[in-house]
């Protein structure tokens, strides 16, 4: 009888070591690939790195890089402004179009659902380099298809990628075309998971599909919508390939974005300390967005549970 507590304690210790051993590889990989690079980035942001005979010479400068970043790097802050405009406009349009497409597919016939899904998902499977080449051909000033269509109806040609008035808008259009299928896929999965009995019971209270959408579908879909919105907002702040392939950040700073500024400072200008400071500020901003999004989702879930 006295050995039972001892056996239970031994089993508990064995389970504890098993859990630790199971998690250890993942923790080591996370530390090696995520945590250590951030600490190294923080260290480099406090230093000035010079290259002498192929070797890095690190000179500690304290907060000088951050001081220069907040007072003497207008290009980076132009990138912050452009990235914010890009993210808000692109993600808003993607959420509207993606959700609308998901509603259309859900209400289509079985054959139409498969056909529409295949068509809607096509842009997201195209490689970025192909997207860049394709849209440069479409939006080219002299031989682009869009300007050719404009000429057919007597409209003047527009330099979509070379005019500061239209360059950022053009990149937003490309991003909306590219990533709307991602929103469509997540919202369609959310719609398919809704309980049909709720809609059947609500038929007595709603008069038309608009009321069903407003009072039934959207409230039930709100957790999925918020998570999808958070995903796309975070990913939109990481935009690089579309800017690189279409405009290169130009003309001037019209399409300069955060990642393009960091890339230029790190690799073209070889200012490792300043690039590290930019990266840390960007990481802090994106982390703040993640915390805010997580707080909103948790609060909505709590209110929904209490209701």
């Amino acid at each position: 009888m006295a050995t039972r507590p001892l056996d239970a304690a031994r089993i508990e210790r064995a389970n504890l070591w098993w859990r630790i051993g199971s998690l250890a590889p993942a923790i080591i990989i996370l530390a090696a690939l995520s945590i250590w690079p951030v600490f190294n980035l923080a260290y480099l942001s406090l230093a000035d790195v010079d290259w002498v005979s192929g070797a890095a010479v690190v000179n500690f400068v304290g907060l000088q890089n951050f001081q220069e970043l907040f007072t003497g790097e207008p290009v980076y802050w132009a990138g912050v402004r452009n990235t914010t405009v890009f993210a808000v406009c692109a993600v808003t349009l993607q959420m509207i179009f993606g959700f609308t497409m998901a509603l259309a597919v859900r209400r289509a016939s079985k054959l139409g659902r498969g056909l529409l899904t295949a068509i809607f998902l096509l842009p997201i499977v195209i490689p970025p380099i192909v997207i860049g080449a394709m849209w440069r051909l479409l939006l080219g000033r002299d031989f682009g298809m869009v300007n050719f269509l404009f000429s057919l109806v007597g409209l003047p040609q527009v330099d979509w990628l070379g005019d500061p008035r239209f360059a950022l808008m053009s990149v937003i259009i490309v991003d909306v075309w590219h990533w709307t299928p991602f929103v469509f896929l997540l919202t369609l999965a959310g719609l398919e998971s809704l309980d049909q009995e709720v809609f059947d019971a609500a038929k007595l209270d709603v008069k038309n599909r608009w009321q069903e959408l407003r009072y039934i579908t959207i409230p039930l879909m709100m957790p999925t919508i918020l998570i999808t919105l958070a995903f796309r907002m975070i990913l939109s702040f990481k935009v690089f390939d579309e800017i690189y392939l279409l405009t290169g950040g130009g003309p001037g700073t019209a399409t300069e974005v955060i990642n393009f500024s960091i890339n230029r400072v790190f690799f073209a200008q070889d200012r490792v300390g300043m690039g590290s400071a930019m990266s840390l500020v960007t990481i802090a901003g994106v982390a703040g967005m993640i915390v805010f999004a997580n707080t909103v989702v948790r609060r909505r879930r709590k209110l929904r549970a209490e209701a």
Side-chain angles (χ1 to χ4, degrees):
M1 298 293 292
T3 61
R4 289 183 179 177
L6 181 60
D7 292 340
R10 188 175 299 170
I11 293 173
E12 183 65 26
R13 284 198 301 270
N15 290 335
L16 176 62
W17 283 109
W18 171 255
R19 289 194 292 268
I20 293 174
S22 301
L23 291 174
I27 294 175
I28 293 172
I29 294 174
L30 177 65
L33 299 181
S34 298
I35 299 176
W36 165 247
V38 172
F39 278 105
N40 188 53
L41 203 65
Y43 166 70
L44 292 175
S45 69
L46 303 176
D48 184 23
V49 181
D50 294 321
W51 298 93
V52 179
S53 300
V57 178
V58 181
N59 301 310
F60 183 77
V61 296
L63 299 177
Q64 179 180 336
N65 287 322
F66 290 96
Q67 182 180 358
E68 293 180 4
L69 174 61
F70 285 99
T71 59
E73 287 291 337
V75 175
Y76 174 78
W77 297 110
V80 172
R81 182 187 66 248
N82 290 337
T83 304
T84 303
V85 173
F86 172 88
V88 172
C89 295
V91 173
T92 300
L93 293 174
Q94 289 163 17
M95 294 299 300
I96 295 173
F97 293 152
F99 188 54
T100 304
M101 290 157 54
L103 289 172
V105 168
R106 187 170 184 264
R107 292 172 178 172
S109 63
K110 187 175 182 180
L111 178 62
R113 179 176 300 188
L115 181 61
L116 288 175
T117 300
I119 295 174
F120 289 160
L121 290 180
L122 185 61
I124 203 172
V125 301
I126 300 177
I129 187 67
V130 177
I131 290 175
M134 180 176 67
W135 279 95
R136 283 186 69 89
L137 290 174
L138 288 172
L139 299 176
R141 181 182 60 183
D142 297 322
F143 305 104
M145 180 59 68
V146 175
N147 278 337
F148 172 73
L149 295 176
F150 274 25
S151 65
L152 293 180
V153 295
L155 295 175
Q157 290 186 344
V158 177
D159 191 359
W160 299 102
L161 301 177
D163 191 326
R165 296 174 299 172
F166 304 108
L168 185 59
M169 179 191 68
S170 301
V171 176
I172 290 173
I173 292 173
V174 175
D175 191 76
V176 170
W177 176 84
H178 185 196
W179 286 106
T180 294
F182 178 83
V183 177
F184 158 74
L185 196 61
L186 292 186
T187 52
L188 179 62
L191 287 172
E192 294 291 347
S193 67
L194 297 181
D195 190 355
Q196 185 60 38
E197 293 181 359
V198 176
F199 293 91
D200 294 337
K203 288 182 178 179
L204 299 175
D205 299 320
V206 296
K207 298 180 180 180
N208 49 52
R209 287 190 172 182
W210 166 247
Q211 290 185 349
E212 177 185 296
L213 175 65
R214 180 179 178 183
Y215 297 110
I216 307 298
T217 305
I218 291 180
L220 291 176
M221 280 290 295
M222 193 55 65
T224 302
I225 292 173
L226 290 176
I227 292 174
T228 305
L229 177 64
F231 265 121
R232 279 304 305 140
M233 190 63 71
I234 292 168
L235 290 175
S236 65
F237 270 83
K238 297 168 58 179
V239 62
F240 177 81
D241 49 357
E242 290 164 356
I243 301 294
Y244 181 80
L245 294 169
L246 291 173
T247 64
T253 59
T255 59
E256 184 81 17
V257 290
I258 294 173
N259 284 345
F260 205 83
S261 299
I262 295 174
N263 176 75
R264 181 188 295 110
V265 170
F266 252 120
F267 299 105
Q269 301 177 4
D270 200 20
R271 299 163 62 196
V272 176
M274 178 58 69
S276 300
M278 290 179 174
S279 300
L280 275 184
V281 172
T282 304
I283 290 173
V286 174
M289 289 177 52
I290 294 173
V291 171
F292 175 76
N294 189 44
T295 302
V296 172
V297 172
R298 286 177 178 270
R299 185 171 297 176
R300 287 197 63 88
R301 286 178 178 174
K302 183 179 179 180
L303 292 175
R304 185 178 177 185
E306 292 175 350

